Amino acid sequence: MSEPSEDIMQAAFRALCEHGYADLTMRDIAAEADRSKASLHYHYESKHGLMLAFLDHLFEHFTDRVGTVDPDGDPDEQLRTFVDEVLHPPGDGIREFRTALLEIKAQAPYDEAFRERLAAFDEHIRENVSAAVAAGVDQGVYREDAVPDAVARFVLTLADGAQSRHVVAGADPDDAMAVFESYVESRLLADREVHA
């Protein structure tokens, strides 16, 4: 299979936002790409195959956008910036896209290929949050008892909740970021440690 073209991936994005995953067809994507349905089938056997390629494409763009933690940088600044990037994806139609992505996530319990690709996003977040917290502990910025993987699990849960609340209730991602900032201030920073 050849590499997915950017126009097909952008068409998949627009079609997902408009139709959602459940109602999405190859014809919808072809129309958005101004291509024939047959030309899509030349590259992708099915909607499922195209969606797997789309998730791979999203992952590449996601990791480019949020980046990785630099062990020599300021761990607190990097952690806050990284989480802010995770919680605030750029672009128009984000609520519609998050709705479609939530539909894809709903397929994951029944589809190992979706599950593996979605897990890659979580692993990138987990690795980077853990690295920032570990560096913060080593540099004395964060409390000695801060557990990097526990903080990473908190961020993953917060990000999932923020996405769901944005889709279901129209909640502002800034609310989730405020929760994270409060968590850092009260639970992580070394100078806030309470001594008995």
Side-chain angles (χ1 to χ4, degrees), residues 59-129:
F59 180 71
E60 183 179 320
H61 282 269
F62 173 75
T63 56
D64 286 348
R65 182 175 62 80
V66 301
T68 56
V69 168
D70 176 2
D72 297 324
D74 178 328
D76 187 54
E77 180 181 329
Q78 289 190 81
L79 178 62
R80 292 175 198 245
T81 299
F82 183 84
V83 172
D84 189 52
E85 290 290 335
V86 167
L87 294 175
H88 293 92
D92 297 326
I94 287 302
R95 186 170 182 193
E96 292 81 3
F97 178 66
R98 283 182 160 176
T99 302
L101 194 57
L102 204 57
E103 289 183 67
I104 292 173
K105 286 183 176 184
Q107 306 302 310
Y110 315 103
D111 189 310
E112 185 176 349
F114 279 165
R115 202 163 46 246
E116 287 173 359
R117 282 160 174 84
L118 292 168
F121 287 84
D122 285 359
E123 183 58 19
H124 185 76
I125 295 169
R126 190 201 65 74
E127 283 179 0
N128 283 279
V129 170

Side-chain angles (χ1 to χ4, degrees), residues 19-25 28 47 103:
H19 302 283
Y21 177 77
D23 293 330
L24 183 67
T25 66
D28 297 327
K47 175 178 105 170
E103 289 183 67

Side-chain angles (χ1 to χ4, degrees), residues 107-178:
Q107 306 302 310
Y110 315 103
D111 189 310
E112 185 176 349
F114 279 165
R115 202 163 46 246
E116 287 173 359
R117 282 160 174 84
L118 292 168
F121 287 84
D122 285 359
E123 183 58 19
H124 185 76
I125 295 169
R126 190 201 65 74
E127 283 179 0
N128 283 279
V129 170
S130 292
V133 174
V137 171
D138 289 346
Q139 294 177 28
V141 174
Y142 294 144
R143 297 168 52 147
E144 289 180 10
D145 63 350
V147 180
D149 279 343
V151 178
R153 287 192 302 273
F154 172 76
V155 170
L156 285 167
T157 301
L158 183 68
D160 281 345
Q163 178 187 355
S164 297
R165 296 221 4 95
H166 185 214
V167 168
V168 175
D172 190 329
D174 286 345
D175 296 343
M177 191 62 199

